[in-house]
Amino acid sequence: MIRLLIVDDEVIIRNGLSTVIDWQGLGFTLLTPAASAEEALDRIVEEKPHVILTDIRMAGKSGLDLAHEAHLINPQIETVILTGYDDFKYAQQAIRFGVSDYLLKTSRPEEIIRTVMKAKQHILQRREHDRQDYTHRLTYRNRLLERLLTDQVGEDSLIDECSRHLPRIQLSPPIADSLQVVIVTTNGWGVQPQIRSRLLFAVDNCLNNLLDCETLLRSEDIALVLRSRTAAEGRTLLRQAASQICQILKCEMSAAFGMEVSHIRDLHKSYDQATYASSFQGFINRHDLITYEQVQDRSGGRTVCSLEEEAELARLLQSDGSVELKAWVTDTVARQLQDPELTPDSLRAFLISIVVSGHRWLERVMRALGKSDLPSLLSAKELPESFRLVTEPAETLFQHLIAIRDAYHKSAAAGPSSYIQQSVAYIQEHLDCNISLQQVAGAVHLHPHHFSEVFKREMGMNYLEFVTRERMRRAEELLTQSPAKISDIAKRVGYEDIKYFGQLFKKHTGKTPSEFRSKV
């Protein structure tokens, strides 16, 4: 709202101007009228009126004196004077003293409204111009800082620009203080984008008030350039500031530090290090503060799940319950997080390998059931993007595996009877074992003879033919995807005798295992 102050030494004029016109309806907040220019000047600093409507002739200082002195206090104040006929020429000359407009005392209310609304429009136009100017300067400043952080800058002209737009980090070289980039993340208000944005904005304001720094507010975090005498002092200062901010805003903060540099030309190095350190948030024990030195020498953990893990995963995907699957995921990820060599890239690769194993199991089972239309799931090309920012690795993996499990049960529901589906999944899990018909029948709680009859009727082939076909298909996959020896592949599909395996494989594909691999 626009604040309006009426000034007149005649009480009847003050009251009339205050009550005859609906100022609130016009978008004004009417301040208590002042009885003199002196009173008005005493109140201007505290009450900050935007528009003053004043008489010229008053006891003591005149309305022109008020306009002049108010303009000195705040050049943005719009002053409208009320004048009699004798003062008209005098009032016209007073524009140069800060008077915005003038009115005859005999003016009708609609004339007063029109003149004051014109003053209001001037104020709103200045506000919009200032807003656009501020936005332009802020945009330019942010682009400048972003370039310093992400590019290897060498131009002296850009350094000169920094001295004007980034005064908190620009010092003439050589500098005594150190600079380091920090990536600050925060949470605690909620996960909705608008709420997260408000929290980041509030934290950004607090950081600028508490620290000698320049900040770049981004959609997910804040890139901060901190100046201090030493890197250790910088970490201490940020930790203290974070403690205050978290207490005031009721939130949580994390910070990842790059190494210190001595010139803004090298900020991109510290930024790259801080960004890398930030990728470890949630993966190492010290969640609140991570330094590049803590993680720079990590070589990476395991990137591929084991055969034992694949087999256990297949069993869990076949079951209906999610509690056991959730427990397995939690335990598996927890073991990975305990690896002192773990990196975000190696963890992502490991998680993706588990999901890919689940996809392959689903494909094998659906294909074995004679289903050509596979459920719609993320492709192998899309998986890396879905794991790009893994802040909750166990939950992210669990959601992928639940989708696979649900797709299996939904697709299988329209196919053969449930115990034949179960037997096919069981066979897929145990292709490396000497699985007999009696063993599979027992797994689905059927008499072997009855199971054999139903299996052949629903699958279109007897049990032994089916197992052999699936073993050969699995061998084809392994020969295509794995560099393992042929003897090892034979064992992984249930054949200790490599010669017998070779004969069956050639009968199935028309090629020996070696010929098949060479043609891939």
Side-chain angles (χ1 to χ4, degrees):
M1 297 282 279
I2 303 296
R3 292 184 292 277
L4 171 69
L5 176 63
I6 295 173
V7 185
D8 200 299
D9 58 354
E10 296 184 41
V11 64
I12 191 169
I13 300 296
R14 293 199 305 273
N15 291 340
L17 289 172
S18 300
T19 58
V20 169
I21 297 172
D22 180 12
W23 294 111
Q24 185 174 4
L26 295 173
F28 290 89
T29 297
L30 183 63
L31 302 175
T32 302
S36 67
E38 289 82 0
E39 179 190 344
L41 289 169
D42 288 340
R43 292 166 52 191
I44 282 175
V45 173
E46 182 177 350
E47 297 185 24
K48 298 180 175 61
H50 299 104
V51 179
I52 295 176
L53 179 59
T54 180
D55 189 9
I56 282 186
R57 294 187 178 185
M58 295 182 289
K61 291 184 177 182
S62 71
L64 293 180
D65 294 329
L66 170 60
H68 178 62
E69 294 185 37
H71 186 73
L72 293 176
I73 295 171
N74 179 8
Q76 304 297 321
I77 287 180
E78 296 278 335
T79 302
V80 178
I81 59 172
L82 292 169
T83 176
Y85 285 110
D86 294 340
D87 302 319
F88 190 68
K89 292 183 179 178
Y90 187 32
Q92 285 180 307
Q93 296 172 356
I95 300 298
R96 67 178 184 274
F97 294 119
V99 174
S100 305
D101 213 332
Y102 55 88
L103 286 164
L104 291 174
K105 279 191 172 182
T106 57
S107 298
R108 298 176 62 81
E110 54 266 28
E111 293 178 275
I112 297 174
I113 290 172
R114 185 164 54 249
T115 302
V116 175
M117 289 299 288
K118 185 166 68 173
K120 176 184 176 182
Q121 185 63 30
H122 291 162
I123 293 169
L124 296 179
Q125 287 173 347
R126 276 200 305 271
R127 285 183 179 178
E128 178 60 20
H129 178 271
D130 291 344
R131 186 193 67 79
Q132 291 180 1
D133 182 61
Y134 172 77
T135 301
H136 175 75
R137 287 185 286 107
L138 180 62
T139 300
Y140 180 77
R141 175 254 182 211
N142 287 347
R143 287 176 180 171
L144 182 64
L145 181 54
E146 185 175 17
R147 186 175 175 192
L148 279 176
L149 294 177
T150 58
D151 294 346
Q152 190 167 346
V153 175
E155 301 95 329
D156 290 336
S157 60
L158 186 61
I159 305 302
D160 293 338
E161 285 291 284
C162 293
S163 64
R164 292 194 292 271
H165 297 278
L166 303 167
R168 288 185 167 187
I169 63 172
Q170 173 58 30
L171 294 171
S172 300
I175 62 176
D177 291 351
S178 71
L179 301 172
Q180 59 189 143
V181 178
V182 189
I183 304 298
V184 176
T185 55
T186 183
N187 61 73
W189 283 13
V191 298
Q192 297 90 340
Q194 284 188 333
I195 293 178
R196 288 181 58 83
S197 179
R198 289 173 192 164
L199 176 57
L200 276 173
F201 182 78
V203 170
D204 182 69
N205 281 335
C206 291
L207 288 170
N208 278 286
N209 290 330
L210 294 172
L211 296 171
D212 192 7
C213 67
E214 295 283 356
T215 61
L216 181 62
L217 182 62
R218 306 190 292 191
S219 60
E220 298 292 335
D221 57 36
I222 300 167
L224 178 148
V225 182
L226 181 63
R227 192 175 83 180
S228 57
R229 285 176 295 183
T230 65
E233 181 190 65
R235 289 194 290 271
T236 299
L237 291 172
L238 184 59
R239 190 187 292 276
Q240 292 171 349
S243 177
Q244 294 182 52
I245 293 170
C246 290
Q247 185 174 8
I248 294 169
L249 299 180
K250 309 302 180 186
C251 66
E252 298 175 358
M253 281 179 60
S254 301
F257 287 78
M259 296 175 70
E260 62 181 317
V261 296
S262 59
H263 196 282
I264 61 173
R265 294 182 195 273
D266 297 321
L267 277 178
H268 67 282
K269 299 177 183 178
S270 185
Y271 172 76
D272 289 343
Q273 294 163 352
T275 300
Y276 182 68
S278 180
S279 67
F280 282 81
Q281 294 287 1
F283 298 160
I284 62 178
N285 292 330
R286 297 183 64 188
H287 293 176
D288 60 330
L289 189 153
I290 300 174
T291 65
Y292 177 70
E293 292 90 335
Q294 288 177 277
V295 298
Q296 63 177 324
D297 294 326
R298 291 196 173 205
S299 60
R302 192 157 58 101
T303 59
V304 179
C305 64
S306 66
L307 293 176
E308 292 74 18
E309 288 167 333
E310 282 194 34
E312 181 64 8
L313 175 62
R315 184 186 70 81
L316 293 169
L317 292 175
Q318 184 187 351
S319 66
D320 289 326
S322 59
V323 174
E324 193 177 2
L325 177 61
K326 183 68 174 285
W328 179 83
V329 167
T330 301
D331 182 62
T332 301
V333 173
R335 287 199 303 272
Q336 286 296 106
L337 294 178
Q338 292 170 4
D339 185 348
E341 297 299 322
L342 180 75
T343 64
D345 286 343
S346 66
L347 178 63
R348 276 192 292 271
F350 178 73
L351 299 179
I352 290 172
S353 77
I354 292 178
V355 178
V356 169
S357 294
H359 280 211
R360 289 174 179 166
W361 171 83
L362 179 62
E363 290 174 5
R364 288 195 297 269
V365 173
M366 292 297 101
R367 184 177 57 189
L369 290 170
K371 292 181 172 289
S372 56
D373 295 331
L374 291 174
S376 177
L377 296 169
L378 286 180
S379 68
K381 291 182 179 179
E382 294 171 313
L383 281 175
E385 181 63 22
S386 69
F387 282 98
R388 186 172 63 87
L389 296 173
V390 187
T391 54
E392 297 181 359
E395 181 61 26
T396 302
L397 177 60
F398 177 68
Q399 293 302 324
H400 276 282
L401 297 182
I402 280 292
I404 294 172
R405 190 207 64 175
D406 290 347
Y408 161 69
H409 286 286
K410 181 179 179 180
S411 295
S417 58
S418 60
Y419 52 81
I420 295 300
Q421 297 168 23
Q422 294 171 21
S423 70
V424 169
Y426 183 87
I427 292 168
Q428 290 293 330
E429 295 171 37
H430 297 84
L431 288 176
D432 59 334
C433 305
N434 183 20
I435 44 174
S436 64
L437 182 146
Q438 288 77 10
Q439 180 182 348
V440 178
V444 295
H445 310 293
L446 291 178
H447 188 279
H449 181 70
H450 177 63
F451 170 74
S452 178
E453 288 183 348
V454 175
F455 188 93
K456 184 174 182 179
R457 182 175 67 247
E458 296 204 17
M459 298 305 296
M461 64 186 75
N462 64 38
Y463 169 78
L464 184 58
E465 290 171 337
F466 177 81
V467 171
T468 302
R469 187 193 71 178
E470 293 306 304
R471 282 175 167 169
M472 294 303 105
R473 284 179 171 178
R474 183 64 176 140
E476 289 179 12
E477 290 181 3
L478 293 173
L479 287 167
T480 303
Q481 301 163 4
S482 168
K485 295 179 181 179
I486 292 175
S487 59
D488 292 334
I489 290 176
K491 292 177 181 178
R492 288 175 64 176
V493 295
Y495 297 102
E496 291 291 336
D497 188 339
I498 187 174
K499 185 176 180 181
Y500 180 59
F501 165 71
Q503 292 173 348
L504 286 175
F505 190 86
K506 186 171 184 178
K507 181 180 179 180
H508 179 76
T509 64
K511 299 182 181 69
T512 66
S514 299
E515 290 171 342
F516 182 87
R517 172 175 275 172
S518 66
K519 298 294 183 181
V520 175

